[in-house]
Amino acid sequence: MVPAVAKPMDRMPQIPAAGVTMFVPNDSAANSMRPTTPPATPDDIHKWRKSSIHAPGTISKHPGYVDDKDHLRVQMYGKKSDEGIGVQDLMQTAPKSHIIERALEKKEAIYQSSKLEPLGVAMTRGHELPENLANGEMPFGKGTPHNYLGMATKTLLAPVEPPEALSESVREQYKKSHASYAPGEQRRRNYSWNTQEGELDPSVFRFGKPGDATEHNAIYYALHPKEDPFVPNAPTIMSKALEDYKEVTQEQLGKPKPVGHGDPARPAPEDGFGMPSKRKGEDDWNARQCLEGQYTLEMQRPDVDLGCAVRPGWRNIQPEDDRSFGIPNIRTDVRPPVVKSVADHQNYGNEPTGGEVIAPSHFSQLDINEGDFLKAQSLDQIKSLFHAINTPFGDDVLEDVYNQVSAEDEGVVSIASFRAALFDRL
């Protein structure tokens, strides 16, 4: 048998393809995804780019003398190092073992700096010290006894003495040298405080005015003495005409404005101006009653005819035979037209459902839905359909399968049931 080769299926061979077919060499998905290599930049332009001037690992040169090779004839200063010494050998200066370290010390022993200043040892200057100094028996300086009256160095530098043990003259010295005053002690400078009343004692005298324990806002009154009620103020003489004018034109808080009618015209303090918001009558409504009203329970009940037709001849009463009123949206009771007009928006039951629109059938483009495969077909229709698709079966096989399906399905043979029974014989 020849193995089958998968080829794209043209489900509508009767419709020619649209457009113009062009043959493009190497037209494939791989070539479309692979970027095309751009052409290289010419040398006369490449040297002027910043990426070439400041390229990593190269010497920055001006583009004007990049092509100038005359400087190569000039000899370079210095001596070239051996090619055997690399950067790694220069960076790894620490010896890796004790033997290498001893060999390195032997090589460096010829240097004058290694002889005068060996590593970890003081510099040797060739001085000869006396024998008693060299062996450490007689050090430099003068020694201090370890126990000088039982005091340590810290005690000698900062002696701790109780204040009671110090005399008055010593305390005065500490006050002068270290400003060491006792806690709460008044700092005195030995001034002579003489006033008109006589000499003052600084230990008892206090500045300022003696305050009262019940006094409030003392600091505020000290900064604003004119507002202090205890400080007498000088009387201010005002014009009576000005005061009378203020009394008539200005309104005082909590008092009615005088209009010049005299004292008898003024109302009593308990009286108010305007009309009362609520009258004394019981039948008068207030604002709440105007918004809510005063409806009884019977008045609040729904109407008797709510939801019911009470007009004679207009009652929509359903008959006993469960008759449905109105016109259905899908007119299956009407024969659909042979050629449906564009302006005809009526559904005659032959339009696809929502599921068929979302997931259409493979044969939807041929105006065939899944329900057509379940309709009953005659033997002649079955033969014509299966011969049209070049089925390799004769009429005897088709008739035998048709009789078998007809016996199982009570004489109803559809395309789906016939195809399933035919595939079972394969």
Side-chain angles (χ1 to χ4, degrees):
M1 296 179 63
V2 179
V5 179
K7 295 182 179 179
M9 179 183 295
D10 189 2
R11 300 184 180 277
M12 292 185 294
Q14 69 278 10
I15 300 177
V20 180
T21 304
M22 298 177 63
F23 175 75
V24 180
N26 297 328
D27 186 13
S28 61
N31 293 334
S32 300
M33 298 298 295
R34 188 180 299 112
T36 306
T37 304
T41 306
D43 296 338
D44 55 342
I45 300 176
H46 187 269
K47 64 181 180 179
W48 294 95
R49 290 189 172 180
K50 291 184 178 180
S51 58
S52 303
I53 299 174
H54 304 289
T58 58
I59 301 175
S60 299
K61 296 181 181 181
H62 191 272
Y65 70 90
V66 169
D67 299 332
D68 188 7
K69 306 299 182 181
D70 293 341
H71 66 281
L72 300 177
R73 299 183 292 103
V74 182
Q75 296 182 355
M76 301 298 176
Y77 292 96
K79 182 181 179 180
K80 294 184 178 180
S81 59
D82 297 336
E83 296 181 357
I85 302 176
V87 179
Q88 182 179 2
D89 298 333
L90 296 176
M91 296 297 293
Q92 294 180 357
T93 57
K96 297 182 180 180
S97 63
H98 181 69
I99 298 175
I100 299 176
E101 183 179 1
R102 298 299 299 176
L104 183 61
E105 291 179 358
K106 186 176 181 181
K107 292 180 180 180
E108 294 180 352
I110 61 176
Y111 298 110
Q112 186 69 18
S113 60
S114 299
K115 296 178 181 180
L116 296 179
E117 301 179 12
L119 186 62
V121 183
M123 182 179 180
T124 305
R125 302 183 182 275
H127 299 160
E128 294 182 2
L129 298 177
E131 184 179 357
N132 54 355
L133 294 177
N135 55 17
E137 295 179 358
M138 186 178 179
F140 291 97
K142 183 179 181 180
T144 303
H146 293 283
N147 189 3
Y148 182 76
L149 299 179
M151 298 181 181
T153 305
K154 179 179 180 181
T155 309
L156 293 175
L157 296 176
V160 180
E161 299 178 1
E164 297 79 6
L166 300 177
S167 61
E168 190 64 26
S169 60
V170 175
R171 286 200 197 95
E172 294 297 330
Q173 283 185 345
Y174 273 112
K175 292 178 183 179
K176 187 175 182 180
S177 60
H178 296 79
S180 178
Y181 292 89
E185 182 181 1
Q186 187 182 25
R187 188 167 186 173
R188 301 185 60 182
R189 296 179 176 84
N190 298 325
Y191 295 155
S192 178
W193 292 7
N194 295 325
T195 60
Q196 297 178 358
E197 290 79 6
E199 187 176 357
L200 299 178
D201 186 4
S203 60
V204 182
F205 180 76
R206 296 291 183 272
F207 292 94
K209 176 184 176 182
D212 188 5
T214 60
E215 186 177 359
H216 301 284
N217 300 329
I219 299 177
Y220 177 79
Y221 290 144
L223 298 176
H224 306 84
K226 292 183 179 181
E227 300 183 10
D228 191 352
F230 298 98
V231 177
N233 298 327
T236 303
I237 300 175
M238 303 292 296
S239 175
K240 187 176 184 304
L242 179 60
E243 292 296 326
D244 295 342
Y245 174 76
K246 289 182 179 180
E247 184 179 359
V248 175
T249 56
Q250 296 181 1
E251 299 179 2
Q252 298 183 7
L253 183 63
K255 295 181 181 180
K257 181 180 178 181
V259 293
H261 298 303
D263 294 339
R266 295 184 178 181
E270 62 271 8
D271 295 339
F273 294 95
M275 298 185 64
S277 58
K278 183 177 180 180
R279 298 182 179 180
K280 297 181 180 180
E282 298 180 356
D283 298 336
D284 296 336
W285 281 26
N286 52 19
R288 179 178 179 181
Q289 293 175 344
C290 292
L291 294 175
E292 296 181 355
Q294 292 182 353
Y295 299 100
T296 61
L297 182 61
E298 295 296 333
M299 298 171 64
Q300 297 179 17
R301 294 182 181 277
D303 296 337
V304 180
D305 57 348
L306 182 63
C308 301
V310 296
R311 184 177 178 182
W314 292 80
R315 296 181 179 90
N316 190 7
I317 302 176
Q318 185 176 1
E320 298 180 357
D321 54 352
D322 296 335
R323 175 186 173 187
S324 298
F325 296 90
I327 301 176
N329 295 331
I330 302 176
R331 300 300 303 273
T332 56
D333 55 331
V334 180
R335 179 178 298 180
V338 179
V339 179
K340 187 176 181 180
S341 174
V342 179
D344 189 3
H345 56 83
Q346 182 62 48
N347 186 359
Y348 297 96
N350 54 356
E351 296 184 3
T353 60
E356 295 176 353
V357 173
I358 297 175
S361 173
H362 295 288
F363 308 98
S364 59
Q365 296 179 354
L366 301 177
D367 199 12
I368 299 175
N369 53 22
E370 298 292 342
D372 296 338
F373 291 90
L374 302 178
K375 294 180 180 180
Q377 305 290 338
S378 61
L379 179 59
D380 297 335
Q381 292 176 345
I382 292 293
K383 289 182 179 180
S384 61
L385 289 175
F386 280 85
H387 285 318
I389 60 176
N390 299 325
T391 305
F393 297 103
D395 292 341
D396 52 350
V397 177
L398 298 179
E399 293 176 0
D400 190 8
V401 174
Y402 184 87
N403 296 331
Q404 177 185 352
V405 175
S406 178
E408 294 176 355
D409 295 344
E410 299 179 357
V412 179
V413 180
S414 62
I415 299 175
S417 59
F418 185 85
R419 182 176 56 182
L422 184 62
F423 288 166
D424 291 342
R425 289 200 175 190
L426 298 179

